[in-house]
Amino acid sequence: MKKGKTTTMRTITLFLTWLSAIAMYGQTISPDKTGMDLSAQQWAKEVVMGWNLGNSFESAGGETAWGNPATTKEMIHAVKEAGFNAIRIPVRWSEHLTNSQDMTVSSAWLTRVKQVVDWALQEDMYVIINTHHEAWLDRAPFYKNKEENNRKLSALWTNIATFFRDYDQRLAFAGTNETIALINGQEHWESPTAEYQDVQNSYNQTFIDAVRATGGKNYYRNLIVQTYACNSYYGLTGFVIPKDKVEERMSVEFHCYDPYEYAGGGSYYYWGDKYKALGKRVPSSNEKTMTDLFDRIRNTWGKKGLGIILGEYGVTCHYTNDDKTTQLENEQYFIKCMVSAARERGFAAFVWDNNVFGNGTEKFGIFNRRNGMTVGNEYVLKGICEGAGTEYKEPVNPGGDDVLGGQVFWEGNAMLDWGNGLQLFIPQDAFEPYGRDAWLALYYTLDYKDYNMIQFFYGDWDQENIVDFSIDGITYTKEFQPGNHYSVGSGEDCVSLISFNDNVLDLILKKGLVLQGHGLRLTKVVLGSNTGIDSPILKQGDDHRYFMLDGRQADVIRKGTIYIHNGKKVLVK
């Protein structure tokens, strides 16, 4: 009886403590849209040059525990004077809790973070604060921890968001950082399991819900969620956009030190085709790899209304004495390409500066905080300034009936998986209205573990009835693999415009067409014709930009192919 009474009293005490915490930190007030007009994409575009206050507030043991001096108002001013108009402040909160159950943060730590935020806002800078190096959270993306971690994350962000609730739209919150499974002391940076992805997605939803629930300006504040490990490739295949109460106030964050064997320091001292042309040894990842990735990110997330935050990027200072100047100039060129690609697509890019200098790995210092904020790496700073001059360019409509026209023949959500999936027959009379001008547009999402493929046959499965067809000016026989053709991965959306020569169309008009495949989920099939399409004559040296129907800029203009040019579909002859 005594034990039961004690247990009851303990329960009541814990309940009252929780209510007290809610009363102090978690009061919900009515939404306040005053001065909160920027959408997530507009917020990102406002960031011309972003800088990370690295290895300070996220340090284990306190702000100066990793060797950096305490941040001062003069430091923030120096960053602004150098041309930066945004700052990302990584923060570790768990070492500064007064109550680990309700995740109450000490007033001293909140006040100190607030002081630096205020200094940045006084310089009219945009600011991000996040949770960073929270081992209990971002090193345990396991189902066994999921419920408790989300409870604690919700409580933590309720406290942080309530404290900063009255701040204007220049301040944004980022829910997590680089979530990485830690097993037996080893961090697993490789491709995540479905479990790891699911837990990270749950963190994102919990963060959004917790901040919005505090009301006030937080109801409309721009919030930033993360892919697993802040890796864009993992995000393109596993990131789930959280549900939000407000529209266009959410961004997705990724980090980019690609290729790491160059940017992080390792076996390469040169990068890019520009330096390959000089006879230098460079990694296979080059300028086109970078821009193709950024295009995929914009086409995947930007078109869904998300802002895009490049939360960290950089290149470590590394060189050999025999060619030091050329190698440092190459690092400047790499950074210029990175920032330019981000600016052109409306990404907010924040360079990583850990105040570490020298020659080797993890030497990401730019401003020397121990020496009056003198510039310790002029090459990286010059590269940022050069790239930041790039102007934003509106994306070309990546396709759809508003550009392609045509009639929808089939619409749904069906897996192509040989005999176990959809096998779609398009009868000859469906092609008849278009005759020899007919084309076929396929809308689909790649969804595969091994490979992907689409096949076409005339009216039946006889192997003699294989079909020749063209995509982007490339001719295929019977089948093609979208992943290889577009250099995209599982989870990405694609639009393929299929065209046929006259002889093939004559047979289709007699027999119809069958399509099947593997590793993709078909969502729509559209039939149309080239009638009414602008048909410019391709001229030698034509410098106008032409785009594929999926939004990628065409590297080679091929005759007989439909492109988007100046917002219209054109057939190059």
Side-chain angles (χ1 to χ4, degrees):
M1 190 67 165
K2 183 178 180 181
K3 181 178 181 181
K5 184 176 180 179
T6 301
T7 302
T8 300
M9 291 301 297
R10 185 183 297 115
T11 301
I12 293 173
T13 300
L14 288 173
F15 179 70
L16 291 175
T17 301
W18 179 249
L19 286 179
S20 176
I22 292 176
M24 182 177 298
Y25 292 103
Q27 289 180 337
T28 298
I29 63 176
S30 299
D32 179 7
K33 199 175 182 180
T34 307
M36 304 297 287
D37 300 319
L38 286 179
S39 71
Q41 293 187 351
Q42 291 169 333
W43 194 98
K45 291 173 190 174
E46 290 293 322
V47 175
V48 179
M49 290 168 52
W51 179 76
N52 269 280
L53 179 61
N55 285 23
S56 288
F57 283 89
E58 82 278 21
S59 302
E63 181 183 357
T64 61
W66 284 355
N68 282 327
T71 305
T72 65
K73 184 176 183 180
E74 290 71 25
M75 290 180 186
I76 304 302
H77 179 70
V79 173
K80 177 62 182 289
E81 286 294 294
F84 292 87
N85 75 326
I87 179 172
R88 177 175 179 258
I89 307 173
V91 183
R92 186 189 304 240
W93 304 91
S94 56
E95 293 186 0
H96 306 275
L97 300 177
T98 58
N99 187 312
S100 60
Q101 284 301 306
D102 60 31
M103 304 300 287
T104 307
V105 183
S106 75
S107 59
W109 188 243
L110 282 167
T111 300
R112 175 59 177 149
V113 174
K114 176 183 182 298
Q115 185 177 41
V116 178
V117 170
D118 289 345
W119 288 338
L121 293 177
Q122 288 167 15
E123 297 286 350
D124 197 23
M125 301 176 80
Y126 291 83
V127 183
I128 296 173
I129 58 174
N130 73 350
T131 62
H132 206 101
H133 290 318
E134 303 286 358
W136 61 271
L137 176 76
D138 57 32
R139 290 301 178 265
F142 311 119
Y143 285 138
K144 64 181 181 180
N145 305 101
K146 182 179 178 181
E147 182 177 355
E148 176 64 7
N149 279 358
N150 276 294
R151 184 195 69 78
K152 292 168 67 176
L153 182 65
S154 178
L156 177 62
W157 269 111
T158 297
N159 296 331
I160 299 169
T162 302
F163 185 83
F164 287 98
R165 180 165 51 197
D166 295 333
Y167 276 68
D168 65 37
Q169 63 187 354
R170 292 173 296 172
L171 177 63
F173 301 153
T176 62
N177 182 47
E178 295 173 346
T179 297
I180 301 294
L182 182 67
I183 303 176
N184 297 325
Q186 296 295 317
E187 293 181 339
H188 287 252
W189 290 89
E190 63 269 16
S191 183
T193 65
E195 177 184 13
Y196 305 163
Q197 292 272 33
D198 179 61
V199 174
Q200 173 61 38
N201 287 329
S202 75
Y203 290 166
N204 290 334
Q205 187 64 65
T206 292
F207 162 67
I208 294 291
D209 292 344
V211 175
R212 294 288 182 239
T214 61
K217 295 185 185 301
N218 286 339
Y219 193 87
Y220 298 99
R221 189 171 306 283
N222 282 304
L223 304 182
I224 304 166
V225 294
Q226 291 69 39
T227 67
Y228 178 85
C230 273
N231 182 300
S232 58
Y233 294 100
Y234 300 159
L236 288 168
T237 58
F239 169 74
V240 175
I241 299 175
K243 296 178 181 179
D244 199 358
K245 294 179 178 180
V246 293
E247 296 181 352
E248 300 182 338
R249 292 294 191 277
M250 190 192 309
S251 294
V252 59
E253 177 184 355
F254 74 102
H255 297 170
C256 192
Y257 299 94
D258 298 334
Y260 194 77
E261 61 269 26
Y262 170 77
S267 55
Y268 290 95
Y269 289 90
Y270 305 93
W271 173 88
D273 286 352
K274 177 179 178 180
Y275 286 80
K276 182 179 180 180
L278 300 178
K280 306 301 183 181
R281 178 175 172 267
V282 299
S284 58
S285 178
N286 58 15
E287 296 93 336
K288 188 175 186 303
T289 307
M290 179 185 291
T291 56
D292 282 353
L293 172 62
F294 283 20
D295 282 338
R296 290 170 61 187
I297 290 170
R298 178 167 68 172
N299 290 337
T300 300
W301 296 324
K303 69 181 182 181
K304 295 177 181 177
L306 295 177
I308 299 171
I309 309 297
L310 175 49
E312 294 181 19
Y313 72 92
V315 59
T316 186
C317 182
H318 63 302
Y319 54 84
T320 58
N321 291 326
D322 61 327
D323 199 16
K324 176 180 177 180
T325 299
T326 304
Q327 291 163 359
L328 294 178
E329 288 174 347
N330 186 200
E331 292 168 13
Q332 177 179 332
Y333 173 71
F334 173 80
I335 290 296
K336 174 186 175 181
C337 290
M338 180 81 72
V339 177
S340 178
R343 287 283 293 157
E344 182 176 337
R345 291 156 181 81
F347 300 179
F350 293 78
V351 69
W352 184 252
D353 183 347
N354 59 2
N355 198 37
V356 179
F357 302 92
N359 177 16
T361 61
E362 298 291 323
K363 310 297 184 183
F364 291 109
I366 300 174
F367 299 104
N368 193 327
R369 300 178 216 167
R370 302 182 192 89
N371 188 28
M373 293 295 281
T374 55
V375 177
N377 191 327
E378 61 181 293
Y379 292 94
V380 168
L381 182 57
K382 286 180 180 178
I384 296 170
C385 293
E386 290 171 349
T390 302
E391 294 184 357
Y392 170 73
K393 295 179 181 178
E394 287 289 343
V396 174
N397 192 319
D401 289 351
D402 55 334
V403 173
L404 292 177
Q407 296 292 320
V408 176
F409 170 77
W410 179 92
E411 192 165 14
N413 189 336
M415 192 70 186
L416 299 189
D417 189 18
W418 305 135
N420 297 320
L422 174 69
Q423 295 173 317
L424 186 66
F425 175 63
I426 308 175
Q428 55 269 38
D429 58 8
F431 286 91
E432 287 176 357
Y434 311 105
R436 285 187 168 185
D437 288 323
W439 49 251
L440 182 70
L442 305 181
Y443 295 72
Y444 53 92
T445 302
L446 296 184
D447 185 1
Y448 64 95
K449 295 181 180 179
D450 41 15
Y451 65 97
N452 56 86
M453 182 182 291
I454 294 176
Q455 289 187 332
F456 294 98
F457 293 86
Y458 298 114
D460 57 48
W461 303 112
D462 190 328
Q463 291 298 312
E464 296 297 323
N465 289 333
I466 59 177
V467 176
D468 292 333
F469 56 95
S470 296
I471 302 176
D472 299 333
I474 301 174
T475 299
Y476 292 91
T477 296
K478 178 182 172 182
E479 62 192 31
F480 88 110
Q481 296 183 18
N484 292 338
H485 179 93
Y486 298 115
S487 298
V488 297
S490 185
E492 296 199 57
D493 298 329
C494 296
V495 181
S496 295
L497 186 72
I498 316 295
S499 58
F500 310 92
N501 63 40
D502 289 348
N503 292 333
V504 170
L505 279 168
D506 285 342
L507 287 171
I508 291 175
L509 288 167
K510 292 178 181 179
K511 298 183 176 183
L513 189 70
V514 176
L515 73 87
Q516 71 165 8
H518 173 76
L520 59 92
R521 190 171 296 279
L522 194 65
T523 57
K524 185 163 59 175
V525 176
V526 176
L527 283 166
S529 75
N530 300 335
T531 304
I533 298 178
D534 295 333
S535 300
I537 303 298
L538 180 63
K539 297 179 181 179
Q540 186 70 26
D542 184 356
D543 60 354
H544 295 291
R545 296 194 305 164
Y546 287 73
F547 293 82
M548 304 293 195
L549 296 175
D550 63 357
R552 297 175 298 126
Q553 184 170 350
D555 297 316
V556 178
I557 308 301
R558 303 178 188 273
K559 294 181 179 180
T561 302
I562 298 175
Y563 297 95
I564 303 299
H565 177 57
N566 292 331
K568 298 180 180 180
K569 57 182 178 178
V570 297
L571 175 64
V572 174
K573 293 186 176 180

